Amino acid sequence: MEPMRMVETAPGKFSLLLDAGTTDVDELVEELGHEPNGYFWEGVAQFLVSTEAPSLDGRFSYDPEGGMFCAYGTDKPALEELAALMTAVAEDGDRMRNLMTAAEAAGFEFDD
């Protein structure tokens, strides 16, 4: 699940975390005109959910900050699915570039 990590914050409550600035694609994100912070990664998650995994919509919440992406909730399988989607982007420059191109074409704006 690298670079993502899952934490059980209370029995049956989970947080999916990504430390901003620690992925293989950070330099590429900056080259594409974005700041790879927690808010940017929330945008990545939202775009992935809307385009590739609409069944995840509404199954968890987001609470990013500048230094960290966080999605949380009680639906661990949904968070695990999101982790797999995000890991694929965070570890593959071509995948990130394709996501950014698709987001731009769709008029999606990242809040970074």
Side-chain angles (χ1 to χ4, degrees):
M1 195 186 311
E2 282 292 322
M4 311 297 297
R5 69 182 186 281
M6 183 87 65
V7 176
E8 188 169 14
T9 58
K13 295 182 179 182
F14 303 92
S15 290
L16 176 65
L17 307 171
L18 169 87
D19 292 320
T22 64
T23 73
D24 296 341
V25 297
D26 289 340
E27 286 184 30
L28 173 61
V29 170
E30 290 173 348
E31 287 173 21
L32 295 171
H34 294 277
E35 178 70 30
N37 60 31
Y39 303 106
F40 170 80
W41 285 105
E42 177 186 10
V44 169
Q46 290 174 343
F47 190 74
L48 287 168
V49 168
S50 70
T51 59
E52 297 183 24
S55 66
L56 296 179
D57 190 36
R59 293 173 60 188
F60 45 78
S61 298
Y62 300 103
D63 187 22
E65 44 190 69
M68 180 183 296
F69 164 80
C70 176
Y72 66 94
T74 57
D75 191 340
K76 186 177 182 183
L79 290 167
E80 290 172 335
E81 188 174 341
L82 176 63
L85 290 168
M86 291 185 67
T87 297
V89 173
E91 293 181 339
D92 183 339
D94 290 335
R95 180 94 166 82
M96 173 57 81
R97 190 178 302 278
N98 291 339
L99 180 138
M100 297 296 290
T101 300
E104 184 177 318
F108 184 87
E109 301 224 3
F110 292 91
D111 181 23
D112 57 336

